[in-house]
């Protein structure tokens, strides 16, 4: 869908927004209209990079009534049980509609309705569920099936399998309202009213002031050297830029693992990423998420609400209502010594985002891989569990450098190890671990 928008004369921003909205219909196991995210935009004419924060904020501006208890669920991921909480009280203020609108306002060329139209059409027809998403759905079923979710993800009394039709009844109506009324419909308009009604009925504290005061933020851009290149992105919860700056010159697996262990943790998260470069050399990278979904849906609109407040580690101590939650998402651009664009890159995967990005950067910039090869290469991810050093290895990843680690060997390339999408001088590719694809418009 993004490629079609580029072919119609759209900018990188137009294509990225069209693709992110299409993802809300096609990749709803990973994201959705009521989620949040971040964008990094490179302007080729000026050489400037801008980072936007449209992540979820903490609700509660309208009063002091306590929220109802969230619903605890357990999900096993990578053989490790993870505890999450869902329900109406887990819903944060969504940012994706506002983010899409702001990216388009700043850098878009096509009319807003033209950019929203592809997602509306996908929502109306439904899409075939990719096999990797079907496997993820099995893990996430406790969060995806409550409420209206069972009609979407298990319409015949069993979970959808790869290649079966994924359809969200009413989601086309939500996109129609978004196209006609703009993002304000989610904050001061009729979709926002439905959202407030559903959350408050379930005991959540989301109120009118939380929605009406939400704004997209422009945040500082940080940079780190990667050999002769510079990587530019926002500062994220897992400190990706700081980790890159600390990497030793040899980029050996053992030294990279040591640098990765300085920060981070093991945590499940479902995100999706879109990286776009247009014919003028502008780049737009968007990473977004729904958390794992609150199990709360907007009736008649097919929108699943986020569960961001159920991931307690994303709320830093002292965070007040109206303030942003933290996130590991890190959409980035890579520039050469002259300031020219080399790569637009981002990844899904919560605390594995940083690992997946660094693997791909190393494979392309150090080892000279094309983008497809770089993203498909097996990855390792080190973690510290109760003081013990453990490294997860995909098949084909050499265990010999990790003599100081306990080894957990995986039997396949897996969703756990992130989901990179990148485009640049080395080509365009998406991550097979999450059904990703890369496409190039030939006239470029």
């Amino acid at each position: 869908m993004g490629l079609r928008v580029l072919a119609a004369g759209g900018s990188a921003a137009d294509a990225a927004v069209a693709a992110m909205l299409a993802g809300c219909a096609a990749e709803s196991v990973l994201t959705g209209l009521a989620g949040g995210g971040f964008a990094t935009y490179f302007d080729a004419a000026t050489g400037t990079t801008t980072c936007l924060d449209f992540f979820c904020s903490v609700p509660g501006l309208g009063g002091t009534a306590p929220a109802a208890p969230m619903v605890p669920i357990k999900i096993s991921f990578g053989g490790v049980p993870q505890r999450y909480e869902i329900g109406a009280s887990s819903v944060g203020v969504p940012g994706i509609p506002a983010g899409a609108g702001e990216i388009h306002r700043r850098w878009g060329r096509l009319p807003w309705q033209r950019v929203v139209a592809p997602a509306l059409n996908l929502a109306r027809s439904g899409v075939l569920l990719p096999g990797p998403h079907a496997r993820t759905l099995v893990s996430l079923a406790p969060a995806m099936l409550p409420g209206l979710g069972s009609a979407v993800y298990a319409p015949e009394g069993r979970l959808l399998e790869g290649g079966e039709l994924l359809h969200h009844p009413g989601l086309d109506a939500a996109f129609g309202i978004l196209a006609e009324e703009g993002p304000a419909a989610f904050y001061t308009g009729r979709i926002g009213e439905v959202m407030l009604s559903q959350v408050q009925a379930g005991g959540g504290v989301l109120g009118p002031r939380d929605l009406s005061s939400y704004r997209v933020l422009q945040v500082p851009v940080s940079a780190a050297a990667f050999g002769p290149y510079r990587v530019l992105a926002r500062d994220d919860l897992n400190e990706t830029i700081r980790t890159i700056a600390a990497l030793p010159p040899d980029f050996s697996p053992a030294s990279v693992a040591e640098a990765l262990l300085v920060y981070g943790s093991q945590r499940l998260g479902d995100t999706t990423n879109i990286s776009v470069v247009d014919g003028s050399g502008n780049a737009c990278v968007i990473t977004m998420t729904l958390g794992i979904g609150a199990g709360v849906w907007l009736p008649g609109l097919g929108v699943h609400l986020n569960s961001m407040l159920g991931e307690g580690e994303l709320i830093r101590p002292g965070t007040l209502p109206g303030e942003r939650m933290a996130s590991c998402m890190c959409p980035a651009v890579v520039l050469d010594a002259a300031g020219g664009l080399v790569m637009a890159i981002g990844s899904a995967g919560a605390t594995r985002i940083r690992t997946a990005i660094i693997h791909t950067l190393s494979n392309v910039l150090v080892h000279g891989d094309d983008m497809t090869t770089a993203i498909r290469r097996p990855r390792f991810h080190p973690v510290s569990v109760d003081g013990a050093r453990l490294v997860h290895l995909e098949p084909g990843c050499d265990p010999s450098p990790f003599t100081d680690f306990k080894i957990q060997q995986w039997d396949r390339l897996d969703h756990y190890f992130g989901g990179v999408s990148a485009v640049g001088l080395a080509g365009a590719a998406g991550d097979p671990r999450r059904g990703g694809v890369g496409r190039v418009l030939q006239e470029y």
Side-chain angles (χ1 to χ4, degrees):
M1 292 302 178
L3 204 68
R4 292 181 186 180
V5 168
L6 285 178
S11 66
D14 289 319
V17 170
M20 74 181 282
L21 295 176
C24 293
E27 298 186 335
S28 64
V29 175
L30 307 176
T31 190
L33 270 176
F38 300 87
T40 296
Y41 187 86
F42 173 76
D43 187 306
T46 64
T48 57
T49 299
T50 303
C51 292
L52 297 182
D53 175 342
F54 54 94
F55 199 50
C56 299
S57 62
V58 177
L61 290 173
T64 58
M70 288 185 264
V71 180
I73 61 172
K74 286 187 178 180
I75 293 172
S76 180
F77 201 63
V80 179
Q82 305 279 344
R83 186 179 185 275
Y84 279 82
E85 294 179 299
I86 62 172
S89 294
S90 73
V91 178
V93 183
I96 283 179
E102 182 65 11
I103 295 165
H104 178 264
R105 184 189 72 80
R106 290 186 181 221
W107 302 294
R109 288 198 293 251
L110 299 181
W112 171 249
Q113 290 85 354
R114 173 67 182 82
V115 173
V116 179
L120 192 158
N121 292 334
L122 282 180
R124 181 175 294 145
S125 65
V127 297
L128 298 182
L129 183 69
H133 293 198
R135 291 191 290 274
T136 301
L137 178 59
V138 174
S139 296
L140 300 184
M144 307 301 284
L145 296 184
L148 300 176
S150 59
V152 174
Y153 298 110
E156 297 180 3
R158 58 168 179 81
L159 291 175
L160 290 175
E161 297 179 356
E164 294 187 315
L165 186 69
L166 171 67
H167 181 254
H168 304 75
L171 186 58
D172 58 332
F175 278 117
I177 295 170
L178 179 64
E180 294 302 317
E181 302 178 18
F186 280 78
Y187 300 95
T188 57
R190 46 181 163 158
I191 295 180
E193 292 175 358
V194 178
M195 192 184 316
L196 292 174
S197 175
Q198 289 298 110
V199 172
Q200 292 174 2
V205 298
L206 184 71
R209 281 185 58 195
D210 297 312
L211 294 180
S212 64
S213 63
Y214 185 88
R215 299 291 184 273
V216 176
L217 305 177
Q218 182 170 323
V219 296
V221 180
S222 294
F226 197 101
Y229 306 97
R230 285 194 308 144
V231 183
L232 287 81
R234 75 179 195 98
D235 288 324
D236 65 284
L237 180 64
N238 237 22
E239 301 190 84
T240 301
I241 293 298
R242 187 176 174 186
T243 306
I244 290 172
L247 290 173
D250 64 359
F251 298 108
S252 67
S255 60
V256 170
E258 293 295 337
L260 289 169
L261 273 182
V262 174
Y263 316 104
S265 60
Q266 178 165 266
R267 185 71 174 173
L268 172 61
D270 277 291
T271 41
T272 188
N273 185 82
I274 297 129
S275 302
V276 181
V277 175
D278 64 24
S280 300
N282 305 305
C284 189
V285 188
I286 296 172
T287 316
M288 57 181 180
T289 185
L290 195 68
I292 57 171
V296 179
W297 294 72
L298 302 188
L301 295 169
V303 174
H304 190 189
L305 300 185
N306 71 76
S307 60
M308 301 312 302
L309 299 180
E311 300 186 38
E313 67 185 27
L314 301 184
I315 304 178
R316 292 160 291 190
T319 303
L320 300 174
E323 295 180 345
R324 290 295 203 271
M325 302 174 66
S327 171
C328 297
M329 291 185 281
C330 190
V333 294
V334 181
L335 307 182
D336 60 21
L341 181 69
V342 174
M343 187 189 309
I345 183 171
S347 181
T351 49
R352 281 90 58 213
I353 288 174
R354 178 184 53 148
T355 303
I357 288 175
I358 288 174
H359 271 282
T360 306
L361 292 176
S362 178
N363 291 340
V364 173
L365 302 178
V366 177
H367 301 296
D369 287 347
D370 64 83
M371 201 70 77
T372 299
T373 301
I375 291 175
R376 287 181 177 271
R377 281 198 188 277
R379 297 176 190 151
F380 60 83
H381 177 69
V383 295
S384 178
V385 182
D386 298 326
R389 293 153 58 91
L390 171 71
V391 63
H392 296 266
L393 302 179
E394 289 187 307
C397 198
D398 181 10
S400 63
F402 305 105
T403 55
D404 295 334
F405 290 82
K406 180 181 178 182
I407 304 294
Q408 180 160 333
Q409 185 71 61
W410 290 62
D411 62 0
R412 64 188 182 280
L413 299 186
D414 193 85
H415 172 109
Y416 172 83
F417 292 87
V420 175
S421 65
V423 58
L425 300 181
D431 206 314
R433 296 163 182 84
R434 300 196 179 206
V437 296
R439 296 285 185 267
V440 178
L441 193 63
Q442 292 307 314
E443 51 261 44
Y444 283 5

